[in-house]
Amino acid sequence: MARKRTAKGEVKTKTAGGLPTKGEILDFIKGAQEKVGKREIARAFGIKGSARIELKRLLAELSREGAITGLRKEVRARGALPPVSVLEIVGRDEDGDLFAEPVVWDRTEGVRPKVLLIKSRRFLDAGEGGLGIGDRILARVRQLEGADIEGFRFEGEPIKKLPREKRRLLGVYRANKKDGGGLIAPIDRKQLKDWLVQPGDEGEAKDGDLVRFDLPRVFRYGIPQARVLESLGNPQDQRQISLIAVHAHGIPDDFPEGVLAELNRLEPPRADGRVDLRAVPLVTIDPKDARDHDDAVHAEPDPDPKNRGGFIVTVAIADVAHYVRPGTRLDREAQIRGNSVYFPDRVVPMLPERISNDLCSLREHEERPCLAVRMVFDSRGEKRRHTFVRGIMRSAAKLSYEEAQAAFDGKPSRKCAALMGTVLEPLWAAYQVLAAARARREPLDLDLPERKIVLDAEGRVERVVIPERLEAHRLIEEFMIQANVAAAETLEQKRTALIYRIHAPPSKEKVTALRTFLDTLQLRLPPGELKPAHFNRVLAQAKALPTADLINEVVLRAQSQAEYSIDNIGHFGLNLRRYAHFTSPIRRYADLVVHRALVRALHFGPDGLTDEEAERLAEVAQSISEAERRAMAAERETIDRLIAAHLADRVGAEFEARISGVTRSGLFVRLKDTGADGFVPVSSMIGDFYHLVEEQHALVGSRSQEAYRLGDEVRVRLVEAIPTAGALRFEMLSKGKRGHVLLTKGWRGARTIRGRRRAAL
């Protein structure tokens, strides 16, 4: 037998007849670091001419024996992975390390293998570089000689992070009980077709289960086929509805064992070196059902005779930075999550309960570490100065918003009665001063009541309410805003890197569209550059109109979306030059970063912002902005699904509603009693052709000239409710109004749509 060194530097053995043995071919395929095909095998073993025919025969035998797969462009050992593969990150092991699975896999080759991701300088050393569960990557894969201690047979080194899908695919599985496999009906209302599931690709799913699925392959005739990744249970169970959003948006809802293991090593800080605030009667004011309390407030008249009528306001925030240190698994997990996500039936927290509900919750009469800011305001509510301290505090009382408001209104509870003169009355007086300054500043003053779903004991929707907006809410809001401003100012003064909370002015295109709409209601925005005060004047005029709530919403839609950035452009909505989030580090990663920046800038300890973190702040800001948008979408969709489930047994019922949107394809309506949103397809509006008058947000009948316009009160009948999609379809019962819309000459020449009876959203 002769030995030959290949161009890759590998030593291979050739048989006397010029062909390698089957074992040698398998060894070469398993040891290859790049794609292997017939050409590469022939080159490696020096096979030429007619010997290539014998090589094909050997490879065919190996394939029939089940040792290899793929005889065209690529050859690999059966059950193995290509040297470079596309992987989806699916979880973490007990040590908190990420592992992945191949996106494309033939089930005939056995169980889909798991690949342990190893650290690389580019992706994993710096807090995983944003990689997380649900991400897809291109990775260099190496097969281990034997399974490691946790059973992994492959290791993968990330090469490139691939664009992440906006949403995971979710649907309802319908089993083919005769032949196996079945169909998946997507819950996404934009997906109109079902996906075929081959026998064996249904996993553990049962008929009617909500499933997460993928479309990894395209079979004959270009038809994509689905593979069930996970069964999520009965989608009709309202107690499971929030899980649809959790899985649809890839929100991590379980903490890895490695993260939880770190909790056992956490210790409260010593009081030495911290400012003692335990004698200051700070109080927490939160919703009745709040489980964590991360902010406390105190106010007192300023004793300085040079500041008559002024106040000293203290805002103390839980010192999360002491427990969640840079580079730890806790920190890495918190950054991936970005923020806590709040659903009517559950909370998906940013931090484990041991931290959020215990160590960092400012419980009544219990000592807790904090970062506090002491702000001095004059009699006009203008801030004179402020000082940050790292301290130890003890909450004097835990109050609900309703309890605090009753005390402010002169009807204190027994607990509040003992706090009136020393705590609550000074708080209220300080708020009155700050509220006057806020009024002069004129931030954007939108009045958009939020729906709150009340669940019964079994987790089902009992009713939908709009909670009253109390002055106690505004008091805490204003104190928090002032603390956030102080944090941004201090970090700027110290020239320390920070993440700002920014809000850009509305775009010219949105302002133009808003002006056109307001003109139809005889409401005017002035020309030129707009400020929040200009919008406020329009909103004040709208209060006298029956469409006031919709005008508020249209003005909101015209605004830009707030986000996080290392570049400061100010906050348009709050009318502030600089703003940063400081007051909620339990539930927002941005606040935790600001805490660390303050610790570093003010030399409060060794657990401040690191140089490495400072260099990555732009990336972190983008990541947590995306996480915030993800959370908002998940929360909104869950409310829509819960209300659709609540109304599912009322198909055929009639409701009072208001038109909340107008499109060529139909009318969006909002029910008065629940705030539920639904759709009236124009195809169901019989007896006329309908034309969209876009600038007046109206559909107008071509023959009758009866119009349906944004803001109109109408009566509708519920035709269909799809809880898994959060979709409600209605039939219009009210007639349109004649002369309601000013039509320009020649409007009939534009596109029209004929109404006819046709179902389906």
Side-chain angles (χ1 to χ4, degrees), residues 579-612:
Y579 193 63
H581 273 165
F582 159 75
T583 54
S584 295
I586 285 178
R587 62 184 180 90
R588 293 188 305 224
Y589 193 78
D591 304 57
L592 177 56
V593 172
V594 168
H595 275 230
R596 289 177 181 159
L598 288 166
V599 170
R600 173 176 176 157
L602 300 173
H603 309 291
F604 283 158
D607 47 355
L609 191 72
T610 65
D611 291 339
E612 184 181 28

Side-chain angles (χ1 to χ4, degrees), residues 540-574:
Q541 295 172 32
K543 288 181 179 178
L545 301 176
T547 55
D549 54 344
L550 283 169
I551 293 172
N552 271 267
E553 187 162 326
V554 172
V555 170
L556 174 65
R557 291 176 187 173
Q559 306 303 313
S560 303
Q561 187 166 7
E563 58 183 332
Y564 296 104
S565 174
I566 63 171
D567 299 315
N568 183 30
I569 63 170
H571 197 294
F572 179 81
L574 293 175

Side-chain angles (χ1 to χ4, degrees), residues 13-64:
T13 304
K14 291 176 60 177
T15 63
L19 287 175
T21 65
K22 292 180 182 179
E24 290 165 347
I25 292 175
L26 285 173
D27 288 343
F28 174 71
I29 293 172
K30 291 177 180 178
Q33 298 301 309
E34 298 176 8
K35 183 182 75 171
V36 174
K38 296 175 185 176
R39 183 176 300 171
E40 286 76 14
I41 295 173
R43 186 181 298 119
F45 291 95
I47 300 172
K48 300 179 181 178
S50 60
R52 290 176 178 267
I53 297 175
E54 290 299 309
L55 175 63
K56 289 182 181 180
R57 182 185 58 77
L58 274 176
L59 294 175
E61 288 180 10
L62 286 168
S63 178
R64 286 194 297 272

Side-chain angles (χ1 to χ4, degrees), residues 343-595:
F343 300 107
D345 62 334
R346 75 187 71 218
V347 176
V348 180
M350 184 181 79
L351 297 169
E353 187 173 337
R354 171 91 193 284
I355 293 177
S356 60
N357 294 354
D358 182 8
L359 295 175
C360 287
S361 185
L362 306 181
R363 292 177 175 174
E364 193 174 45
H365 306 313
E366 294 186 19
E367 291 184 6
R368 290 291 184 269
C370 67
L371 271 180
V373 57
R374 182 178 184 270
M375 300 172 286
V376 179
F377 296 92
D378 64 20
S379 59
R380 287 174 47 82
E382 304 295 336
K383 182 159 63 70
R384 287 188 162 194
R385 60 187 178 275
H386 67 267
T387 307
F388 281 91
V389 298
R390 201 173 197 185
I392 292 285
M393 63 159 286
R394 184 189 294 118
S395 172
K398 179 186 77 170
L399 306 177
S400 69
Y401 284 114
E402 292 78 9
E403 194 174 9
Q405 187 62 54
F408 297 150
D409 293 339
K411 301 174 183 178
S413 63
R414 180 178 299 179
K415 178 193 287 188
C416 288
L419 301 169
M420 286 301 292
T422 56
V423 177
L424 295 179
E425 288 176 356
L427 270 179
W428 182 249
Y431 166 63
Q432 298 299 312
V433 169
L434 267 62
R438 176 188 176 97
R440 290 193 302 274
R441 192 177 81 239
E442 289 198 86
L444 189 61
D445 188 21
L446 287 165
D447 183 15
L448 291 165
E450 290 189 22
R451 293 176 291 171
K452 181 176 181 180
I453 292 180
V454 178
L455 304 177
D456 61 21
E458 296 183 354
R460 292 179 171 82
V461 177
E462 181 178 289
R463 64 187 186 278
V464 181
V465 299
I466 298 178
E468 183 182 1
R469 176 76 167 160
L470 303 173
E471 285 299 307
H473 292 107
R474 295 184 173 91
L475 181 151
I476 294 299
E477 180 183 273
E478 188 59 29
F479 283 13
M480 297 304 114
I481 288 173
Q482 293 299 331
N484 288 337
V485 171
E489 290 176 346
T490 293
L491 293 175
E492 278 193 357
Q493 291 165 4
K494 296 295 184 179
R495 301 185 183 278
T496 301
L498 77 148
I499 293 178
Y500 292 95
R501 179 65 168 178
I502 64 170
H503 184 218
S507 66
K508 292 181 180 178
E509 295 77 13
K510 287 186 175 181
V511 169
T512 298
L514 178 61
R515 277 198 172 101
T516 302
F517 168 67
L518 292 176
D519 285 346
T520 66
L521 300 173
Q522 286 74 52
L523 297 173
R524 299 286 186 269
L525 279 173
E529 182 179 349
L530 295 176
K531 296 182 179 181
H534 296 133
F535 292 101
N536 290 343
R537 292 183 190 114
V538 168
L539 295 171
Q541 295 172 32
K543 288 181 179 178
L545 301 176
T547 55
D549 54 344
L550 283 169
I551 293 172
N552 271 267
E553 187 162 326
V554 172
V555 170
L556 174 65
R557 291 176 187 173
Q559 306 303 313
S560 303
Q561 187 166 7
E563 58 183 332
Y564 296 104
S565 174
I566 63 171
D567 299 315
N568 183 30
I569 63 170
H571 197 294
F572 179 81
L574 293 175
N575 199 14
L576 293 168
R577 293 187 198 175
R578 56 189 62 82
Y579 193 63
H581 273 165
F582 159 75
T583 54
S584 295
I586 285 178
R587 62 184 180 90
R588 293 188 305 224
Y589 193 78
D591 304 57
L592 177 56
V593 172
V594 168
H595 275 230

Side-chain angles (χ1 to χ4, degrees), residues 67-319:
I68 64 173
T69 186
L71 287 178
R72 294 190 177 183
K73 295 182 179 180
E74 184 177 355
V75 177
R76 57 184 171 83
R78 184 168 294 274
L81 290 170
V84 176
S85 301
V86 176
L87 308 176
E88 180 181 9
I89 301 173
V90 296
R92 288 187 177 82
D93 64 7
E94 292 182 354
D95 293 326
D97 294 319
L98 294 169
F99 61 89
E101 293 179 351
V103 171
V104 177
W105 184 253
D106 189 340
R107 64 185 176 86
T108 62
E109 294 188 47
V111 178
R112 188 179 298 266
K114 289 182 169 51
V115 182
L116 180 66
L117 297 187
I118 60 177
K119 291 188 175 183
S120 70
R121 182 176 302 174
R122 180 178 178 189
F123 283 95
L124 299 181
D125 286 344
E128 296 183 30
L131 293 183
I133 295 173
D135 283 334
R136 289 190 174 188
I137 58 172
L138 189 67
R140 189 172 286 107
V141 177
R142 181 174 69 89
Q143 185 168 358
L144 305 176
E145 292 183 3
D148 71 4
I149 192 170
E150 292 185 17
F152 290 101
R153 296 188 297 113
F154 297 91
E155 286 182 345
E157 180 181 357
I159 299 172
K160 179 182 180 182
K161 181 178 178 180
L162 302 177
R164 186 166 183 170
E165 296 178 7
K166 292 182 179 179
R167 300 169 63 89
R168 294 186 181 184
L169 298 171
L170 291 181
V172 177
Y173 176 66
R174 300 300 182 193
N176 184 336
K177 298 179 181 179
K178 180 179 179 182
D179 301 321
L183 298 171
I184 292 177
I187 64 169
D188 187 345
R189 65 189 84 179
K190 296 179 182 178
Q191 293 283 354
L192 299 179
K193 60 180 178 180
D194 296 340
W195 304 105
L196 181 65
V197 179
Q198 287 287 324
D201 279 352
E202 69 271 24
E204 302 296 323
K206 299 180 177 62
D207 185 57
D209 277 1
L210 177 72
V211 297
R212 184 168 72 89
F213 68 98
D214 200 359
L215 302 171
R217 294 171 289 185
V218 176
F219 281 72
R220 289 180 298 175
Y221 313 114
I223 301 174
Q225 299 195 9
R227 172 175 59 91
V228 174
L229 301 177
E230 185 178 6
S231 177
L232 305 175
N234 181 6
Q236 303 304 322
D237 186 347
Q238 291 186 35
R239 293 168 294 184
Q240 301 296 316
I241 281 180
S242 60
L243 288 179
I244 297 177
V246 168
H247 289 274
H249 291 276
I251 297 172
D253 59 339
D254 288 317
F255 287 100
E257 289 298 322
V259 172
L260 297 177
E262 283 189 349
L263 297 175
N264 299 325
R265 299 191 290 272
L266 298 180
E267 295 182 359
R270 296 178 180 177
D272 298 344
R274 287 178 175 262
V275 176
D276 191 346
L277 300 175
R278 288 173 288 189
V280 179
L282 291 147
V283 295
T284 61
I285 304 178
D286 292 293
K288 288 180 181 178
D289 54 356
R291 298 177 62 191
D292 57 69
H293 312 276
D294 56 4
D295 58 80
V297 294
H298 176 263
E300 60 182 343
D302 189 354
D304 186 349
K306 296 181 180 179
N307 189 29
R308 294 185 183 279
F311 285 87
I312 300 173
V313 173
T314 301
V315 175
I317 306 299
D319 190 358

